Amino acid sequence: MSNVLVIGAGGQIGTELVLALRKNHGEQNVVAADIKIECPPLLTGGPYVQMDVLNRDAVRNYIIYKGFDEVYLLAALLSATAEKNPDFAWKLNMEGLFTILDLAKEGHIKRIFWPSSIAVFGPTTPADQTPQTTVMEPTTVYGISKLAGERWCEYYHSKFGVDVRSIRYPGLISYKSLPGGGTTDYAVDIFYKAKAVKSFTSFLSEDTALPMMFMDDAIRATIELMNAPSESIKIRSAYNLGGISFTPKQLGEAITKVIPDFQISYAPDFRQEIADSWPNSIDDSEAKKDWNWKHQYDLEGLVNIMLANVDINLL
Ligand code: AKB
């Protein structure tokens, strides 16, 4: 059992990660931290601290005082929100990472998880089955910050031996907590609207294919990566993670199999340009080779579980 801190615990990934980590390590051994003053209702089962990741001194004092085996740093601005506030996005996405990398370098944290994203790729990247190592020229603030973060993670590992691990998450689909400010969020919203009003207007065009994953797979990947022996982790920037790939039209058709009178329409907005710069699908053979990664949920499984579980009162 490890002593664990999750920063950004109130977000889409953080909420489910804390719940899973508490099952593995015990409720009292996983501290959830978030900028929100009130503990999110799903996280009340264990310790909670209010934390602003940009308050470097406060974060340092807390972590040095407590000492953590594992820190998961999830606080970030996602792609669509970051485009509206580039200065703050860069600050938030980079400064927190340096604070945590420095603490690990000084010996106060044994292992770090920091999330990267498919946003590290850009329009010049091969879009189908995007390889682990390829052209990376992201055109979004979020993508630029994630690519820079990856390079810094690898640097801290190779120069200072910091045990940092990362995944390039695809779009994540979940029902326990809502996503906020991403380009892939349509693939979550659609389930709430399908259940509530049987219709949905997608902000991406019908044929925009993007890599996606059900949250249970993403949480399992994160925990498997963190539990793998250090010597098997050959990539210290971030691993490609595949999952499934679909377009809004294909997702709409899969929902129609369960809700026959569901209707989908399309009104692309500024997020279309972001989506067009990202891969259609991802080659995750390095993750398979190094730590035996395998996704479980296909499109049909994901649609069934989402429609059975989304709570329209969350919206
Ligand atoms: C976003 O859409 O910004 C995120 C991501 C792919 O990292 N879901």
Side-chain angles (χ1 to χ4, degrees):
M1 276 201 205
S2 301
N3 192 15
V4 179
L5 174 67
V6 180
I7 303 173
Q12 190 200 14
I13 303 174
T15 305
E16 301 218 22
L17 188 60
V18 168
L19 297 175
L21 289 168
R22 283 183 176 161
K23 266 194 198 144
N24 296 349
H25 298 281
E27 295 204 322
Q28 293 311 314
N29 294 325
V30 179
V31 180
D34 200 275
I35 187 100
K36 299 178 181 100
I37 292 169
E38 293 285 320
C39 176
L42 281 173
L43 304 182
T44 49
Y48 179 80
V49 291
Q50 196 270 340
M51 183 182 281
D52 176 0
V53 76
L54 290 178
N55 189 340
R56 185 176 162 93
D57 288 343
V59 175
R60 282 187 62 81
N61 290 341
Y62 180 73
I63 290 178
I64 291 169
Y65 172 66
K66 296 270 294 183
F68 285 99
D69 298 311
E70 293 182 0
V71 173
Y72 295 76
L73 173 59
L74 306 177
L77 235 55
L78 297 186
S79 56
T81 317
E83 287 309 297
K84 294 185 176 153
N85 202 345
D87 295 354
F88 180 66
W90 177 256
K91 188 176 167 68
L92 177 66
N93 294 1
M94 300 310 300
E95 286 183 15
L97 177 59
F98 281 117
T99 301
I100 300 303
L101 287 171
D102 285 336
L103 282 161
K105 176 182 157 191
E106 293 161 25
H108 301 295
I109 302 167
K110 291 198 187 122
R111 204 154 44 244
I112 299 172
F113 179 82
W114 174 81
S116 187
S117 161
I118 54 163
V120 291
F121 301 115
T124 51
T125 302
D128 294 317
Q129 287 301 307
T130 300
Q132 175 70 41
T133 307
T134 184
V135 179
M136 294 166 95
E137 294 183 320
T139 49
T140 62
V141 179
Y142 175 64
I144 296 168
S145 72
K146 288 295 177 189
L147 180 55
E150 284 193 9
R151 304 320 308 153
W152 280 111
C153 288
E154 191 176 289
Y155 186 87
Y156 269 70
H157 176 74
S158 66
K159 300 285 176 201
F160 312 123
V162 168
D163 188 353
V164 55
R165 304 170 184 208
S166 178
I167 283 171
R168 291 172 182 153
Y169 287 125
L172 299 180
I173 299 174
S174 61
Y175 59 84
K176 289 189 189 146
S177 59
L178 294 168
T183 302
T184 57
D185 293 9
Y186 91 86
V188 178
D189 296 346
I190 193 170
F191 291 101
Y192 288 87
K193 298 283 169 21
K195 253 183 125 166
V197 291
K198 296 189 179 172
S199 72
F200 177 70
T201 302
S202 167
F203 58 72
L204 297 183
S205 66
E206 60 183 319
D207 291 327
T208 309
L210 286 172
M212 301 277 185
M213 182 173 283
F214 184 54
M215 186 61 90
D216 284 24
D217 272 344
I219 297 297
R220 189 169 51 78
T222 309
I223 291 175
E224 285 176 8
L225 174 65
M226 288 298 272
N227 289 345
S230 188
E231 58 281 6
S232 64
I233 308 301
K234 307 281 188 248
I235 293 172
R236 295 296 182 154
S237 50
Y239 279 94
N240 273 10
L241 205 63
I244 44 185
S245 178
F246 55 76
T247 64
K249 187 170 175 214
Q250 288 164 335
L251 181 55
E253 283 165 1
I255 292 175
T256 310
K257 287 191 186 145
V258 185
I259 304 177
D261 49 348
F262 173 69
Q263 301 281 348
I264 182 163
S265 56
Y266 306 92
D269 66 13
F270 73 100
R271 290 168 280 194
Q272 183 65 46
E273 195 183 332
I274 301 178
D276 286 342
S277 76
W278 289 354
N280 303 327
S281 59
I282 297 282
D283 172 3
D284 58 8
S285 45
E286 299 294 323
K288 286 181 178 135
K289 182 161 59 85
D290 290 356
W291 42 280
N292 299 318
W293 165 245
K294 193 170 180 335
H295 80 272
Q296 280 175 0
Y297 287 85
D298 60 9
L299 180 55
E300 197 187 342
L302 178 146
V303 166
N304 288 336
I305 199 162
M306 285 298 288
L307 287 177
N309 287 286
V310 287
D311 172 5
I312 54 174
N313 298 316
L314 260 189
L315 280 183

